[in-house]
Amino acid sequence: MGRLTTHVLDTARGRPAQGLTIELWRIAPDGELLGSFSTNQDGRIDQPLLAGEAFACATYELRFHAGDYLRQTASGLAEPLFLDVIPIRFGISDATAHYHVPLLISPFGYATYRGS
C-alpha cells in the first residue's frame, strides 16, 4: 500500500522543527482539506499523512505553517516575516508507492525534494 510522509528540519537551528503545523489538501478534483497535523520532537508526524484506501492518484498540497513556528523559535525577525505559509504542490501518480516530501527551513529560505 502507498503512503505519504513528511518531516521538517530547521536548518538555522540544526535540529528537527518540533510543533510545526502542516495541512494536507487534495487539490484535484475538489479542493478538500484532508487533515491538519503537528510535527513531533523529531520533526515528523507520528503516522502517515495519507495511507490505505485514502491514498489515491491526485494533485495534493502540503501547507507548512512556517511563520507560526519561526515566531516561536527565532528571535529578532521583522514582521511581516519573509516566509509564512509554505505551499508544496505535488502529484501522486502511483498509489502503491511511498511519497516522502520533506521540508528544510530557515527564516529566509526553504528546500524540498521527493525523499525515500
Side-chain angles (χ1 to χ4, degrees), residues 83-108:
L83 294 174
D84 192 8
V85 177
I86 300 171
I88 307 296
R89 190 169 288 190
F90 58 96
I92 292 177
S93 59
D94 181 355
T96 65
H98 177 196
Y99 285 76
H100 183 68
V101 183
L103 182 71
L104 309 175
I105 63 166
S106 74
F108 300 102

Side-chain angles (χ1 to χ4, degrees), residues 24-85:
L24 173 62
W25 290 80
R26 181 183 305 117
I27 301 302
D30 52 6
E32 174 185 6
L33 176 63
L34 300 178
S36 182
F37 310 88
S38 182
T39 56
N40 63 21
Q41 69 280 357
D42 196 32
R44 298 177 185 273
I45 307 301
D46 292 326
Q47 70 282 341
L49 301 170
L50 201 56
E53 292 182 18
F55 189 77
C57 295
T59 301
Y60 294 89
E61 186 171 281
L62 288 170
R63 296 179 187 169
F64 296 88
H65 291 261
D68 295 339
Y69 168 81
L70 292 168
R71 284 182 188 92
Q72 294 174 11
T73 61
S75 60
L77 296 177
E79 291 285 346
L81 296 180
F82 181 68
L83 294 174
D84 192 8
V85 177

